[in-house]
Amino acid sequence: MVNILSCLILCTKVQRFCNNYKLAQACSYSFFIYLIHEPTLLIFKKIPLLIFDKNEIALIISFIFIPIIFVTITILIGKTLRKYIPKAFSIYTGGR
């Protein structure tokens, strides 16, 4: 009985999170993130190795935070391109 109740509560919370306007707006840049991730993610991976020593804690922290920072910066770049150079953004993403 407790499992069923906890599943219902979890489903309600997930549904509220998925109905978030900002999340839906950020998801519109998923193809742009896919296009730009390979060349820029390599740079993002190497920066912490240059700043910190190659110890396990620094690698774990960078493993957790690099994707969050990368997606945030990529969405900001996508928004800027869409706002100021919409034609180039449309060509780059194929009009998606």
Side-chain angles (χ1 to χ4, degrees):
M1 190 68 168
V2 174
N3 288 336
I4 295 172
L5 184 61
S6 62
C7 284
L8 289 174
I9 291 170
L10 181 64
C11 288
T12 305
K13 292 192 182 286
V14 168
Q15 181 183 12
R16 286 183 192 153
F17 179 74
C18 290
N19 288 335
N20 188 348
Y21 174 74
K22 289 184 180 182
L23 179 65
Q25 190 178 21
C27 288
S28 68
Y29 294 96
S30 63
F31 189 68
F32 181 73
I33 293 170
Y34 170 74
L35 291 175
I36 201 170
H37 88 278
E38 184 59 37
T40 53
L41 194 56
L42 290 174
I43 296 168
F44 273 80
K45 285 181 184 177
K46 291 182 181 181
I47 290 173
L49 296 176
L50 296 173
I51 297 172
F52 304 111
D53 294 334
K54 294 182 181 179
N55 61 23
E56 290 182 25
I57 296 173
L59 291 175
I60 291 171
I61 291 172
S62 66
F63 184 78
I64 293 170
F65 288 109
I66 284 176
I68 296 168
I69 294 168
F70 174 75
V71 168
T72 304
I73 290 174
T74 306
I75 289 173
L76 291 174
I77 291 170
K79 283 183 178 184
T80 305
L81 283 175
R82 184 180 270 176
K83 183 177 181 180
Y84 293 111
I85 315 171
K87 185 89 169 168
F89 183 81
S90 178
I91 290 170
Y92 190 66
T93 59
R96 296 174 189 216

